[in-house]
Amino acid sequence: MSSATYQPVLVATAAGLTPAAIETANGLLADWGHNLGPCRRPFGSEGWVLEVAGRPVSVAVSASTVGSTAAGYPRGELVELARLCSAPGCRWATRVMLRLWREVAGPAWSYWPARAAVAYSQNDRHEGRIYRFDGWRRVTDRAGAPPGPNATWTKHRGPGHPAAGPKSLWLWEYPQPHRPAPADRTNQEGPTQCQ
């Protein structure tokens, strides 16, 4: 079938990635117990939900970076994968969501054209293999290190804080600044819980 004859299906799909209100994404992060909880940064963020049979199975939050630069890029050329979480019992969806976020949601960042995407993994929690297997490049394993010349975060987090300790900074570079047609983000309700 040629693309000229393709007719979009106007019925529910078996699986799909959809924009979601940040409140909806944050609700899923809280319900599913993400270790950092909801993404409550006071600047740009966008939610995305992966649904299967109309049920949310994974959520991702795109956000502006906290620091003014990351991985050698200024904030205005980056989008950060600030949260990635899958529903209990749907761990398989994490890799699917990471790839969809990298290829669809990251480039759809509505605040500015993204030349690159970044993500952080906490070294004490996991080695970041999900990013490595997906083709991301580890820039450093000392992001969030104690204050000093090698520290990349500006806020000190004490022991016991879920974001405390060194993190790995992962980078995905887009071939060129990419800005697809923006998704309609008005009046997005979306699912609020996994049932």
Side-chain angles (χ1 to χ4, degrees):
M1 171 192 313
S2 79
S3 61
T5 61
Y6 176 77
Q7 293 293 316
V9 179
L10 299 176
V11 296
T13 59
L17 179 68
T18 184
I22 193 63
E23 296 81 12
T24 299
N26 280 335
L28 292 171
L29 289 166
D31 290 349
W32 296 343
H34 189 279
N35 69 308
L36 295 176
C39 186
R40 301 201 189 283
R41 297 182 184 175
F43 35 81
S45 57
E46 299 171 343
W48 293 86
V49 172
L50 174 61
E51 295 179 347
V52 173
R55 181 176 70 96
V57 296
S58 194
V59 62
V61 174
S62 310
S64 175
T65 58
V66 174
S68 61
T69 62
Y73 286 89
R75 178 185 294 132
E77 295 179 355
L78 288 170
V79 59
E80 181 183 339
L81 175 56
R83 300 286 191 279
L84 175 63
C85 184
S86 293
C90 297
R91 190 172 174 189
W92 62 267
T94 305
R95 289 181 76 172
V96 176
M97 183 56 139
L98 176 60
R99 177 64 58 92
L100 286 169
W101 184 89
R102 187 191 87 188
E103 294 297 322
V104 179
W109 178 243
S110 65
Y111 291 84
W112 48 75
R115 290 187 54 213
V118 293
Y120 293 88
S121 63
Q122 190 174 23
N123 297 343
D124 288 343
R125 288 186 52 85
H126 63 87
E127 298 173 3
R129 282 181 278 204
I130 189 167
Y131 299 105
R132 185 169 47 88
F133 293 160
D134 195 54
W136 295 59
R137 180 172 57 91
R138 182 169 31 205
V139 175
T140 182
D141 62 0
R142 293 197 34 83
N150 294 320
T152 59
W153 284 22
T154 57
K155 183 177 182 180
H156 178 69
R157 291 172 168 86
H161 188 282
K167 292 149 204 66
S168 289
L169 171 60
W170 297 90
L171 175 69
W172 179 265
E173 294 176 292
Y174 294 111
Q176 60 187 6
H178 186 71
R179 184 181 292 277
D184 178 9
R185 295 189 152 299
T186 58
N187 221 3
Q188 294 287 329
E189 289 299 318
T192 56
Q193 60 183 350
C194 184
Q195 299 177 359

